[in-house]
């Protein structure tokens, strides 16, 4: 527990420090976010706000994990470094996408196929590394625990790899879609991070504890700059890093399916997009929501960004509490 709290404290202080140092740099480099024309009209006032602020907490988390997880690495425990590496690979994909957006001066960087191919490749590499470097993991043997039951499914490695790739890539995109209101992705993620920290503590998994603490502290520090009105956006750089980090924590804990409960807010977000697009095509232009993802629906219904933040974060905490019993 002490390592987890220390990791959170170091990441919090570092995120505040890196934010203070790097925000002026992003402004000088004119790394401004382009706002979609089809988004809420009042979001146009945010155009030009620096993006790629995810680096604030990514660097902070890295410092915290290396410092507090050093003794684990010396003793041959590499779980926290394994998760960190995968999260950085995902964040790297987001960085390439963000950089393309800035250069093109559009809110469209990589094409959807390019982005998906990179995410699927990263997911495949992650699961292969899981099998090689964590051979004692139940998942490495194709055993998948079903939440709220004592059922453990046993599948062949090719089946597990296929399902796992789709699961990881899909969840990372769900987290990415949630990043559409000031502070929202960070707020929703904080309870999920605490949840995985609690799982790690109950299992005595110091590597997961260290990483969960660092992620919580880093995001809390980033909120100082990203809470409404946001001075900086995390960009795909940050949201894809978060998605990779949560998948890393879940798989390292042998509990990937618990993300479907603890991360239910992310799933609602991506499901709202799927339902909206499908219904629109089937009905020739009718809509279920005023706008999707669903956080924009509530904005269009008169909710302010702070209300969206607090309500969605509260629901995330409730779902994490529910997931604990699973």
């Amino acid at each position: 527990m002490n390592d987890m709290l220390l990791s959170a404290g170091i990441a919090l202080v570092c995120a505040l420090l890196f934010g203070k140092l790097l925000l002026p740099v992003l402004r000088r480099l004119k790394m401004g976010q382009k706002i979609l024309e089809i988004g809420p009209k009042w979001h146009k006032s945010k155009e030009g706000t620096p993006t790629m602020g995810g680096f604030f907490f990514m660097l902070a988390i890295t410092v915290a994990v290396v410092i507090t997880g050093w003794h684990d690495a010396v003793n041959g425990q590499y779980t926290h470094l394994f998760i960190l590496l995968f999260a950085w690979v995902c964040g790297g994909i987001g960085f390439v996408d963000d950089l393309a957006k800035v250069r093109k001066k559009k809110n469209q960087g990589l094409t959807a196929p390019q982005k998906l191919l990179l995410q699927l490749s990263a997911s495949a590499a992650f699961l292969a590394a899981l099998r090689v470097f964590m051979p004692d993991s139940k998942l490495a043997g194709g055993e998948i625990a079903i939440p709220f039951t004592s059922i453990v499914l046993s599948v062949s490695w090719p089946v597990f790899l296929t399902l796992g790739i789709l699961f990881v890539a899909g969840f990372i995109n769900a987290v990415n879609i949630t990043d559409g209101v000031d502070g929202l992705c960070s707020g929703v993620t904080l309870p999920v991070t605490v949840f995985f920290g609690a799982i790690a503590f109950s299992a005595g998994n110091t590597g997961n504890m260290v990483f969960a603490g660092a992620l919580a502290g880093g995001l809390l520090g980033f909120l100082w700059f990203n809470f409404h009105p946001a001075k900086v956006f995390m960009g795909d750089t940050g949201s894809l890093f978060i998605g990779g980090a949560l998948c890393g924590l879940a798989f390292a804990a042998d509990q990937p399916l618990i993300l479907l409960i603890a991360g239910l807010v992310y799933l609602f977000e991506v499901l709202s997009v799927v339902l909206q697009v499908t219904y629109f095509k089937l009905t020739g232009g009718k809509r279920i929501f005023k706008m999707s993802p669903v956080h924009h629906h509530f904005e269009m219904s008169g909710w302010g960004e702070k209300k969206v933040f607090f309500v969605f974060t509260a629901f995330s905490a409730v779902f994490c509490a529910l997931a604990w019993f699973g």
Side-chain angles (χ1 to χ4, degrees):
M1 176 62 79
N2 289 337
D3 284 345
M4 182 162 58
L5 294 176
L6 178 61
S7 183
I10 292 173
L12 171 60
V13 172
C14 287
L16 292 171
L17 178 61
F18 287 135
K20 189 73 174 176
L21 294 173
L22 295 178
L23 183 55
V25 175
L26 292 176
R27 286 172 175 160
R28 283 199 301 271
L29 294 176
K30 297 182 179 180
M31 294 294 182
Q33 175 74 49
K34 192 74 177 175
I35 304 299
L36 280 172
E37 294 291 342
I38 60 173
K41 293 180 180 179
W42 51 90
H43 279 210
K44 288 295 289 182
S45 62
K46 300 181 181 185
E47 190 155 287
T49 301
T51 187
M52 302 187 205
F55 278 121
F56 298 0
F57 60 79
M58 291 164 65
L59 293 171
I61 290 166
T62 301
V63 172
V65 168
V66 170
I67 292 175
T68 56
W70 182 256
H71 59 280
D72 278 350
V74 170
N75 293 325
Q77 305 277 336
Y78 305 113
T79 303
H80 52 304
L81 300 179
F82 176 62
I83 300 171
L84 180 65
L85 177 60
F86 178 61
W88 266 96
V89 169
C90 294
I93 296 172
F95 170 71
V96 173
D97 190 39
D98 284 336
L99 192 60
K101 291 175 184 176
V102 171
R103 287 178 173 176
K104 295 177 182 178
K105 296 183 179 181
K106 294 182 179 180
N107 200 1
Q108 293 177 340
L110 296 174
T111 64
Q114 288 173 332
K115 205 170 179 179
L116 182 59
L117 179 60
L118 287 171
Q119 290 170 342
L120 291 174
S121 299
S123 301
F126 165 66
L127 294 172
L130 178 74
R131 185 177 175 87
V132 174
F133 296 107
M134 297 180 64
D136 295 333
S137 165
K138 293 179 181 178
L139 293 174
E143 295 183 6
I144 306 172
I146 307 300
F148 291 100
T149 73
S150 59
I151 298 173
V152 177
L153 298 178
S154 184
V155 299
S156 66
W157 170 246
V159 172
F160 174 79
L161 181 62
T162 302
L163 295 177
I165 289 172
L166 296 176
F167 180 91
V168 173
F171 189 83
I172 290 172
N173 275 301
V175 175
N176 181 226
I177 286 173
T178 305
D179 182 35
V181 169
D182 291 352
L184 183 60
C185 192
S186 296
V188 169
T189 301
L190 278 170
V192 184
T193 304
V194 173
F195 166 73
F196 278 111
I199 286 181
F201 176 72
S202 66
N205 188 328
T206 56
N208 276 21
M209 278 194 285
V210 162
F211 190 87
L215 182 57
L219 291 178
L220 196 59
F222 180 68
L223 273 174
W224 178 263
F225 306 97
N226 188 233
F227 189 69
H228 185 75
K231 301 179 184 69
V232 66
F233 300 138
M234 68 172 64
D236 284 4
T237 304
S239 60
L240 294 187
F241 177 94
I242 292 172
L246 293 180
C247 286
L249 282 169
F251 276 80
D254 282 333
Q255 294 283 344
L257 294 185
I258 206 69
L259 273 175
L260 299 178
I261 303 169
L264 206 53
V265 171
Y266 307 120
L267 301 185
F268 282 153
E269 291 275 23
V270 73
L271 184 60
S272 70
V273 175
V274 173
L275 289 175
Q276 183 87 321
V277 172
T278 302
Y279 190 74
F280 185 87
K281 290 181 177 180
L282 290 177
T283 60
K286 294 183 179 180
R287 292 176 171 83
I288 300 175
F289 306 102
K290 294 181 179 179
M291 186 177 290
S292 66
V294 71
H295 55 256
H296 287 324
H297 168 81
F298 288 106
E299 279 193 282
M300 299 290 283
S301 299
W303 287 25
E305 291 193 49
K306 290 182 180 179
K307 183 175 181 178
V308 173
F309 169 87
F310 285 115
V311 171
F312 277 51
T313 299
F315 269 103
S316 180
V318 169
F319 293 142
C320 286
L322 178 63
W324 179 256
F325 296 100

